[in-house]
Amino acid sequence: MTTSRQNPNSAGWHVWIDRGGTFTDLVAQAPDGRLSTHKLLSENPDQYEDAALQGIRDILGLKAGDIIPEGAVTVVKMGTTVATNALLERKGDRTVLVVTQGFGDALRIGYQARPDIFARHIVLPEMLYEQVIEADERLNAQGDVLTPLDEAQLRAGLQAAFDAGIRAAAIAFMHGYRYADHERRAAEIAREIGFTQISVSHEVSPLMKLVSRGDTTVVDAYLSPILRRYVDRVAADLGNTRLQFMQSNGGLTDARLFQGKDSILSGPAGGVVGMVETARMAGFDKIIGFDMGGTSTDVSHYDGEYERTFETQVAGVRMRAPMMNIHTVAAGGGSILHFDGARYRVGPDSAGADPGPACYGKGGQEPTVTDANLVLGRLQPEFALGGSLALDRGAAEAAVARVARSLGLDTVSAARGIIELANEHMSQALRVISIQKGFDPADFQLVSFGGAGGLHVCALAENLGMRRAVMPIRAGVLSAEGLVYAPRKRELIQALPGGADAARVDALAADLDRRGRRELASEGVPDSDVVTEVTLDLCYQGQSSTLGLPWDGDPEAAETAFHRLHEHRYGHRL
């Protein structure tokens, strides 16, 4: 469910921001219509506290710490990695998990998947929740109460967690996605005790599978308080300025409604929208996106419609929520070359923004992709960050030279090797979202963006046999520019277990449509601006992985289209 795009008015500045892991990018439109761009380091504690706010001050001509004048900025739209970084660094809020009795270890056990089947020492990911409360309750799959909720026992457990300093609760009961009475009552008890963040699975991820539903609910409870504090801090400096955030599904939402589960791809999603819209302007509708920043590279595929997914894994955490289908690899300008005991590799560790690559002159010692590009003369030191960041070629050469000596190579040859390793790593990511899904890259255009994309795009296109590479005019800040084109969006989902006929699908679609319109109306969106799209996520009986198809009310057409898509994606139909 999306809204038609609104043209910026001239009351004040309109600012679109992408806060990445290394750089923060801004695109801004002045009241007179003039467009400007700005890029600065995301972490520079000696100069400013928050890059997004400092970027706005820079655009307005203010000094660090100056008050942003009331009314100077009309609206700020932002994509941010704040929640993603908190997840990667395990710096979310202390959280208690409330789950049906007997299932306290369900999320820890997971699906017993073994990504590396030859590993003899299995290291399980760290759980985000600190404590588990097994509530004495149980409903069966038909909604019959097998065990009534023991409210006294649950209240005692929640009170003990609260007394221990925990303020976030994630509640996920068996069959709670379908029969939510027990979850609702548990949430009421937590609220009465004083928990400030309460996430319930029937609202966060109303889908089958307790493990993925529970994981998503925990992520929401764990990250939402972090987002709330960041939003409040930004909003305090901006005053009455309207503040919106990009969600993982590619749509904007009001800052007060921004949730942890919708924030994981907040930054990269803006880039995908910008890629598609700028490519359309150039007349291309079959594109593969290549977004190379300072910390990572995001790749995506577009063939007439945005690819989306319901399931993903970030930092060892499973999630099940609507989001753009973006494949990320740890290969960016700041990716460090290191020896893993068997071979040299680029990434996954990154120098980040502080200290950054050796050439930043801030104490970094390890050779990075950016250092290699500088050594090869592919970067012009005087133009880094518009001339505001001085690059030290000598420091870059010294870092690369240490690796060169260990390999018996000269510095230039070692730098070329670093670039080739990075290019192969990123080429493999592009193959994952094209060849592995049955698409020939030669039929697509490779659209490059991100601050480092232009340095590598031609080599990647050649590696994949692609005939055309496209560079948008503002490629370095395209993830921020994508927010210009992004609509307000609500993506509501609900499981229909046991199969469904057209009447059930239409009834559920109508109910979700009413809910979505109410939520958008609460943000001040006129009903006449709302456009609704209905998608079915179908699978063969006995399977759990789904494929999404548009719903037009014709079950036979949907079934035929599903068989065709399944055969194209997996090479067979049942």
Side-chain angles (χ1 to χ4, degrees):
M1 176 172 289
T2 61
T3 62
S4 57
R5 298 189 188 99
Q6 304 297 311
N7 294 322
N9 57 47
S10 58
W13 282 83
H14 289 247
V15 185
W16 301 275
I17 305 174
D18 171 49
R19 189 189 186 284
T22 305
F23 294 105
T24 291
D25 304 330
L26 295 91
V27 176
Q29 187 177 52
D32 61 5
R34 174 173 46 90
L35 206 63
S36 60
T37 63
H38 186 47
K39 184 184 286 278
L40 68 163
L41 292 171
S42 293
E43 298 292 340
N44 197 351
D46 294 336
Q47 300 296 323
Y48 44 80
E49 182 179 354
D50 182 80
L53 291 171
Q54 183 58 39
I56 294 173
R57 290 187 174 97
D58 289 345
I59 287 173
L60 297 177
L62 303 174
K63 297 178 182 178
D66 283 355
I67 295 175
I68 298 173
E70 192 73 32
V73 181
T74 300
V75 62
V76 171
K77 300 179 181 180
M78 188 187 308
T80 178
T81 57
V82 167
T84 309
N85 292 341
L87 185 61
L88 291 170
E89 299 168 7
R90 295 298 193 263
K91 292 183 178 179
D93 262 30
R94 298 173 63 191
T95 302
V96 60
L97 169 65
V98 183
V99 69
T100 302
Q101 191 170 58
F103 292 88
D105 293 323
L107 305 193
R108 162 61 71 185
I109 296 170
Y111 298 118
Q112 302 188 52
R114 294 186 62 176
D116 184 355
I117 62 173
F118 298 108
R120 298 176 64 187
H121 178 56
I122 308 299
V123 180
L124 294 174
E126 179 184 352
M127 293 290 100
L128 301 182
Y129 53 84
E130 181 177 318
Q131 293 185 19
V132 180
I133 298 173
E134 295 190 15
D136 189 11
E137 69 84 36
R138 185 65 186 268
L139 301 172
N140 66 13
Q142 290 71 44
D144 301 324
V145 178
L146 303 182
T147 304
L149 176 64
D150 188 336
E151 296 188 11
Q153 176 257 357
L154 176 58
R155 185 180 295 274
L158 285 171
Q159 186 65 59
F162 186 85
D163 293 341
I166 298 175
R167 295 295 181 269
I171 302 170
F173 291 159
M174 284 292 292
H175 309 299
Y177 74 96
R178 195 174 181 185
Y179 307 106
D181 287 347
H182 283 185
E183 285 194 357
R184 290 193 188 98
R185 181 56 189 147
E188 289 173 2
I189 294 172
R191 200 170 292 112
E192 291 167 3
I193 290 173
F195 282 86
T196 55
Q197 173 62 43
I198 304 167
S199 299
V200 287
S201 75
H202 70 272
E203 294 177 355
V204 173
S205 181
L207 300 169
M208 291 180 284
K209 296 185 178 179
L210 174 66
V211 171
S212 54
R213 176 163 50 89
D215 279 334
T216 307
T217 307
V218 169
V219 168
D220 191 70
Y222 184 75
L223 296 180
S224 290
I226 296 290
L227 283 175
R228 180 60 41 221
R229 288 192 288 271
Y230 180 72
V231 167
D232 290 345
R233 188 175 72 185
V234 173
D237 277 27
L238 293 176
N240 293 326
T241 299
R242 282 187 288 124
L243 181 60
Q244 300 171 14
F245 280 87
M246 173 62 92
Q247 303 170 97
S248 299
N249 61 22
L252 294 163
T253 188
D254 191 273
R256 60 190 170 83
L257 301 175
F258 194 37
Q259 295 179 266
K261 72 179 180 68
D262 298 321
S263 64
I264 299 301
L265 297 180
S266 172
V272 176
V273 174
M275 169 197 75
V276 169
E277 295 301 326
T278 52
R280 279 177 179 166
M281 297 175 192
F284 304 125
D285 59 1
K286 294 172 71 70
I287 52 180
I288 291 175
F290 161 60
D291 176 9
M292 184 178 180
T295 304
S296 62
T297 292
D298 302 311
V299 296
S300 52
H301 169 269
Y302 181 84
D303 189 4
E305 62 181 21
Y306 290 106
E307 281 197 350
R308 65 193 188 109
T309 183
F310 279 120
E311 298 194 48
T312 192
Q313 185 165 315
V314 179
V317 179
R318 297 171 294 262
M319 290 203 52
R320 205 170 188 212
M323 62 185 67
M324 292 261 191
N325 191 7
I326 300 172
H327 184 61
T328 301
V329 292
S335 294
I336 296 172
L337 176 77
H338 63 95
F339 187 68
D340 65 3
R343 58 180 175 169
Y344 278 95
R345 300 177 62 182
V346 172
D349 46 333
S350 172
D354 188 17
C359 62
Y360 282 14
K362 298 172 65 177
Q365 300 292 321
E366 302 295 333
T368 67
V369 174
T370 296
D371 293 317
N373 276 315
L374 184 58
V375 168
L376 295 174
R378 293 152 59 114
L379 280 175
Q380 300 181 57
E382 61 271 22
F383 294 114
L385 279 186
S388 65
L389 177 65
L391 298 183
D392 186 344
R393 183 184 178 91
E397 289 178 342
V400 175
R402 283 193 292 272
V403 173
R405 285 192 295 270
S406 68
L407 294 172
L409 299 173
D410 61 81
T411 302
V412 171
S413 297
R416 287 199 187 102
I418 293 173
I419 298 302
E420 290 175 6
L421 283 173
N423 285 346
E424 183 53 39
H425 193 19
M426 292 182 289
S427 295
Q428 184 56 37
L430 291 169
R431 294 184 185 104
V432 167
I433 57 106
S434 57
I435 296 172
Q436 288 189 15
K437 293 186 177 181
F439 300 104
D440 184 353
D443 296 334
F444 292 77
Q445 284 74 39
L446 182 61
V447 180
S448 170
F449 53 106
L455 295 165
H456 299 262
V457 62
C458 291
L460 299 186
E462 185 176 3
N463 286 353
L464 274 75
M466 303 176 76
R467 292 182 286 270
R468 180 183 282 116
V470 180
M471 285 288 294
I473 192 170
R474 286 180 287 272
V477 295
L478 192 67
S479 290
E481 186 176 347
L483 303 178
V484 177
Y485 311 112
R488 299 279 191 99
K489 190 172 185 178
R490 283 291 181 279
E491 195 153 344
L492 305 174
I493 55 175
Q494 183 66 55
L496 272 177
D501 54 26
R504 285 188 69 198
V505 172
D506 287 339
L508 178 58
D511 179 59
L512 295 178
D513 179 68
R514 286 190 293 271
R515 284 172 48 193
R517 288 177 184 271
R518 282 197 302 269
E519 292 181 12
L520 289 171
S522 71
E523 297 184 38
V525 177
D527 193 69
S528 58
D529 287 344
V530 178
V531 178
T532 301
E533 297 178 2
V534 181
T535 300
L536 290 182
D537 288 280
L538 303 175
C539 64
Y540 286 118
Q541 189 171 8
Q543 291 184 338
S544 58
S545 296
T546 61
L547 293 173
L549 294 162
W551 170 251
D552 61 2
D554 186 345
E556 292 184 3
E559 183 175 347
T560 301
F562 172 77
H563 288 306
R564 187 185 307 115
L565 180 58
H566 192 280
E567 185 171 23
H568 175 76
R569 181 70 57 87
Y570 301 112
H572 69 280
R573 64 172 70 191
L574 300 181

